[in-house]
């Protein structure tokens, strides 16, 4: 009985958004983010946004592929694309924070992104990640 009650609580607390919900938020919010932050001096256009099940599905082309890493999203400067992994999105707020975070990376120097990694910075200490995490606090501007 106790297990059933705990399961009921977690069942409603942990929300996984579907692809359609995430896509709708992206379509609504990305133009606002682009207008607010403007263009990167390192790219020719604003970034594309693609939605995938996870990073393994994106690379392999197999929708239900799995693995150990499970990022929420990533910006790939080589193809100027923000990849959003929709099962990791928990709410509208989370989707917006994620887009703001990745858009910040779009604005940052790809050369310095790599240099900082080469210098030994990890996700927690990388100056560009710190800036992007800080920028997430502005999510309400686009809500």
């Amino acid at each position: 009985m106790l297990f059933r009650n705990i399961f009921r609580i977690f069942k409603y607390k942990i929300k996984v958004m579907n692809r359609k919900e995430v896509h709708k938020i992206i379509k609504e919010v990305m133009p606002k983010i682009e207008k607010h932050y403007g263009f990167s001096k390192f790219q020719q256009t604003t970034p594309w946004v693609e939605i995938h099940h996870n990073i393994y599905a994106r690379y392999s082309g197999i929708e239900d592929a799995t693995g150990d890493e499970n990022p929420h999203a990533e910006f790939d400067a080589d193809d100027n694309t923000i990849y959003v992994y929709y099962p990791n999105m928990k709410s509208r707020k989370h989707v917006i924070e994620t887009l703001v975070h990745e858009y910040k990376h779009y604005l940052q120097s790809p050369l310095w992104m790599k240099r900082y990694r080469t210098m030994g910075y990890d996700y927690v200490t990388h100056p560009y990640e710190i800036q992007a995490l800080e920028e997430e606090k502005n999510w309400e501007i686009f809500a």
Side-chain angles (χ1 to χ4, degrees), residues 124-136:
V124 175
T125 60
H126 194 296
Y128 280 1
E129 291 299 342
I130 292 168
Q131 289 175 3
L133 285 167
E134 184 67 25
E135 200 62 40
E136 288 179 23

Side-chain angles (χ1 to χ4, degrees), residues 22-33 92 96 99 142-143:
V22 172
H23 183 260
K24 182 179 175 188
I25 295 166
I26 291 169
K27 275 185 70 172
E28 175 193 337
V29 171
M30 274 307 289
K32 296 175 187 177
I33 292 172
R92 177 179 174 81
I96 298 170
L99 293 171
F142 314 105

Side-chain angles (χ1 to χ4, degrees), residues 28-43:
E28 175 193 337
V29 171
M30 274 307 289
K32 296 175 187 177
I33 292 172
E34 290 170 354
K35 183 177 181 183
H36 181 81
Y37 290 109
F39 295 98
S40 172
K41 61 183 177 182
F42 306 105
Q43 301 289 342

